[in-house]
């Protein structure tokens, strides 16, 4: 039972992430490889604010959001001068730089030693300790995030992003500013990444930089490519699939010595087959290029 | 005071070739002016310069009294310059309805906070534009395809959709790059009629028509610029320009 609760909590956190990233990847059509940066900034910012400054969970989450949004703005301004392959490479570079900083700025982040003993979140005077309570916390934040994001998806804002994604020249010819719109999407998505990061840190009560690597950014992007980007169902399908598939493979009863490797290979193979069969993702109508 | 569009000694060199060569032209409001010339004459490039897609190397492009030649394309669009692209450029992964809708909101409504701070305004606005969108879709005969992705339409249908999208944007200067190419005769007639109606009903509107379809040009344009090898070679009344010996030799093959 605890195992299932744990999986549900992780799915909830990743739903906040994937629905946020969807704004950039699905609506903006920009393949970002640095989304884990904002996930990490949220986790570290709220953790350090709680551990070093001593403020409580909710204000720490909110301040983390502000910090992540500022970073997203500073990163977005130069990165969004690029499109297509160049944008992918630039965001990859940013991901590597930020990871290196998290890893080596030992005075601030304790680097590879990580930060253990993160205090459990206290919400309205109530300390959250059991898995059920965590699930409720994640569920509430997920619901709130989705209601904000779905309004944006459906608003003229979402439509303008999709227009820019499909044909930037034509959309700009209709008066849409690519720089402003993409930057909004980039910053807003970072807000949700940061929220998810704070939740994650408060849940596992230990963070180190290896949770926020390029691998993680690729995993988050893969969720959208597998599930389908640019709509409301794709991120859900992708998140559930990508988190549950490796878990399901555990029950194959493989001999212990080869199990992890075989599982990895089946996982990879499934993704390849999927892209052959449904290049637009399981529940997608739009194919990310 | 004369408004409209004034192009003053504009030049553009790409890859060492002068594609637009010292072009000076005036396009007055309240009328349709044609811009014709052989393939590769530089007509589309001149449109790129007007909309800011390309920046002129020299010269001025003045619209409604302001030099727009150094502005960004989206700013120029917000000043009322709308364009029908020669290569159509509909939004493939948006529905037919959404394609037209994408032209209907201004930057305030498209901001991410608008749905949160002006929720009731937005709802009313969306209700209002729905009728407008369907009226344009009806006009081009696409209203029962409103839910189809634009990428699935035929070339001609995409052209009609792009025309509907442009008209819905309510621009005061329309740059039309071959609006009739790919359309059937009935649709050509309808499109030409609405162009004439636009400049008749609102004398502040300016239309520039790039066309290889000479019957369309004679039908709606009283004045014609003839462009060849990047230069404006002739300007005059339509019958005059089309009757010119050189134009007939270079362009009409007569
Ligand atoms: N980016 C570019 N770099 C180099 N040359 C270009 C570029 N864009 C256009 N040209 C050249 O400029 C010339 C004029 O092109 P343009 O598209 O403006 O012609 P056009 O008058 O619109 O022709 P058509 O009637 O065939 O549409 C062509 O010879 C074309 O090859
Ligand atoms: Mg052309």
């Amino acid at each position: 039972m605890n195992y299932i609760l744990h999986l549900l909590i992780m799915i909830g956190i990743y739903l906040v992430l994937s629905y946020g990233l969807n704004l950039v990847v699905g609506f903006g059509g920009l393949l970002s490889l640095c989304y884990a940066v904002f996930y990490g900034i949220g986790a570290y910012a709220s953790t350090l604010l709680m551990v070093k400054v001593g403020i409580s969970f909710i204000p720490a989450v909110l301040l983390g959001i502000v910090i992540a949004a500022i970073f997203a703005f500073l990163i977005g301004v130069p990165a969004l001068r690029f499109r297509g392959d160049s944008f992918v490479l630039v965001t990859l570079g940013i991901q590597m730089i930020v990871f290196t900083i998290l890893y080596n700025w030992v005075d601030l982040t304790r680097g590879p030693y990580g930060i253990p003993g993160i205090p459990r979140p206290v919400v309205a005077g109530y300390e959250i300790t059991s898995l059920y309570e965590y699930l409720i916390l994640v569920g509430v934040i997920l619901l709130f995030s989705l209601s904000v994001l779905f309004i944006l998806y459906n608003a003229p804002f979402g439509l303008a992003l999709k227009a820019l994604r499909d044909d930037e020249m034509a959309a700009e010819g209709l008066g849409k500013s690519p720089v402003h719109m993409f930057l909004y999407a980039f910053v807003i998505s970072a807000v949700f990444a940061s929220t998810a990061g704070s939740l994650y840190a408060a849940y596992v009560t230990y963070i180190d930089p290896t949770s926020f690597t390029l691998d993680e950014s690729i995993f988050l992007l893969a969720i959208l490519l597998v599930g389908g980007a640019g709509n409301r169902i794709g991120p859900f399908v992708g998140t559930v699939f990508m988190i549950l598939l490796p878990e399901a493979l555990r029950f194959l009863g493989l001999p212990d010595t080869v199990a992890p490797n075989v599982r990895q290979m089946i996982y990879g193979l499934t993704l390849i087959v999927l892209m052959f069969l449904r290049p637009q993702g399981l529940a997608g109508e739009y194919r990310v290029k | 005071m004369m408004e409209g569009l004034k192009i003053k000694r504009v030049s553009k060199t790409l890859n060492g070739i002068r594609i637009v060569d010292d072009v000076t032209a005036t396009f007055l409001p309240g009328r349709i002016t044609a811009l014709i010339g052989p393939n590769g004459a530089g007509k589309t490039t001149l449109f790129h310069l007007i909309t800011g897609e390309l920046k002129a190397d020299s010269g001025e492009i003045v619209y409604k009294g302001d030099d727009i030649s150094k502005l960004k394309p989206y700013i120029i669009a917000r000043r009322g310059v709308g364009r029908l692209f020669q290569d159509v450029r509909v939004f493939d992964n948006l529905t037919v309805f959404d394609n037209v809708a994408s032209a209907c909101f201004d930057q305030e409504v498209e901001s991410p906070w608008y749905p949160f701070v002006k929720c009731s305004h937005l709802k009313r606005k969306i209700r209002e534009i729905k009728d407008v969108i369907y009226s344009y879709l009806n006009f081009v005969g696409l209203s029962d395809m409103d839910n189809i992705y634009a990428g699935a339409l035929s070339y001609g249908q995409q052209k009609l959709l792009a025309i509907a999208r442009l008209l819905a944007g309510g621009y005061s200067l329309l740059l039309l790059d071959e609006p009739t190419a790919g359309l059937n005769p009935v649709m050509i007639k309808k499109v030409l009629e609405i162009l004439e109606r636009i400049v008749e009903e609102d004398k502040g509107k300016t239309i520039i028509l790039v066309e290889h379809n000479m019957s369309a040009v004679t039908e709606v344009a009283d004045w014609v610029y003839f462009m060849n090898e990047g230069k404006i070679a002739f300007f005059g009344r339509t019958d005059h320009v089309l009757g010119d010996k050189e134009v007939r030799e270079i362009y009409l093959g007569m």
Side-chain angles (χ1 to χ4, degrees), chain B residues 114 117-128:
Chain B
Y114 193 85
V117 297
K118 296 266 179 73
C119 182
S120 54
H121 284 80
L122 182 60
K123 285 206 177 104
R124 202 187 52 226
K125 196 152 216 141
I126 287 174
R127 261 201 313 279
E128 284 167 9

Side-chain angles (χ1 to χ4, degrees), chain B residues 94-106:
Chain B
L94 294 187
T95 62
V96 165
F97 182 88
D98 280 349
N99 261 273
V100 181
S102 70
C104 296
F105 302 109
D106 61 25

Side-chain angles (χ1 to χ4, degrees), chain B:
Chain B
M1 191 197 133
M2 286 204 301
E3 298 229 310
L5 181 77
K6 287 201 181 77
I7 297 172
K8 297 181 188 163
R9 309 209 55 176
V10 163
S11 295
K12 181 71 184 176
T13 302
L14 286 169
N15 296 338
I17 307 165
R18 273 223 156 176
I19 307 212
V20 171
D21 191 356
D22 199 16
V23 165
T24 297
T26 302
F27 298 90
L28 292 178
R31 62 163 75 146
I32 301 171
T33 309
L35 174 62
I36 63 170
N39 296 124
K43 307 180 294 294
T44 298
T45 308
L46 190 60
F47 275 6
H48 280 314
L49 293 171
I50 299 170
T51 60
E53 269 336 306
L54 291 174
K55 297 287 168 228
D57 299 331
S58 59
E60 262 180 52
I61 299 171
V62 180
Y63 184 56
K64 289 187 173 170
D66 297 324
D67 183 5
I68 58 169
S69 66
K70 285 168 189 72
L71 302 179
K72 297 214 167 81
Y74 71 89
I75 306 274
I76 293 174
R78 288 175 192 176
R79 299 249 178 135
V81 179
R83 174 175 185 187
L84 181 75
F85 290 92
Q86 185 170 11
D87 48 356
V88 191
R89 294 182 172 268
V90 293
F91 304 122
D92 282 352
N93 299 293
L94 294 187
T95 62
V96 165
F97 182 88
D98 280 349
N99 261 273
V100 181
S102 70
C104 296
F105 302 109
D106 61 25
Q107 71 261 36
E108 188 198 352
V109 178
E110 281 175 351
S111 74
W113 48 86
Y114 193 85
F116 301 100
V117 297
K118 296 266 179 73
C119 182
S120 54
H121 284 80
L122 182 60
K123 285 206 177 104
R124 202 187 52 226
K125 196 152 216 141
I126 287 174
R127 261 201 313 279
E128 284 167 9
I129 66 151
K130 214 166 171 166
D131 294 336
V132 176
I133 292 168
Y134 277 109
S135 73
Y136 286 112
L137 286 179
N138 265 326
F139 170 74
V140 295
L142 290 175
S143 53
D144 47 359
M145 306 187 91
D146 55 351
N147 255 323
I148 291 179
Y149 286 108
L153 298 179
S154 75
Y155 173 77
Q157 290 173 319
Q158 290 188 349
K159 175 82 81 120
L160 290 167
L161 177 58
I163 291 171
R165 183 177 71 183
L166 181 70
L167 297 178
Y171 297 98
S172 56
L173 169 61
L174 296 179
L175 310 174
L176 307 172
D177 209 338
E178 303 195 17
T180 71
L183 300 192
N184 68 47
V186 175
M187 284 320 305
I188 292 180
K189 201 157 167 285
K190 278 185 83 170
V191 169
L192 294 179
E193 272 166 18
I194 199 170
L195 296 183
E196 286 187 300
R197 210 162 70 222
I198 287 172
V199 288
E200 242 160 58
E201 284 173 2
D202 185 345
K203 296 288 178 205
K205 296 210 171 182
T206 312
I207 295 182
I208 308 178
L209 177 69
V210 165
E211 262 303 342
H212 290 301
N213 172 352
M214 285 309 116
S215 67
V217 170
T218 11
E219 205 175 316
V220 297
D222 296 327
W223 297 87
V224 176
Y225 280 97
F226 178 74
M227 200 173 175
N228 189 32
E229 294 179 350
K231 291 190 175 68
I232 297 292
F234 284 97
F235 170 65
R237 298 206 73 100
T238 307
D239 48 351
H240 193 185
V241 173
L242 294 185
D244 182 271
K245 186 164 156 286
E246 217 176 313
V247 173
R248 292 167 75 90
E249 261 170 30
I250 298 174
Y251 183 51
L252 300 172
M254 299 192 293

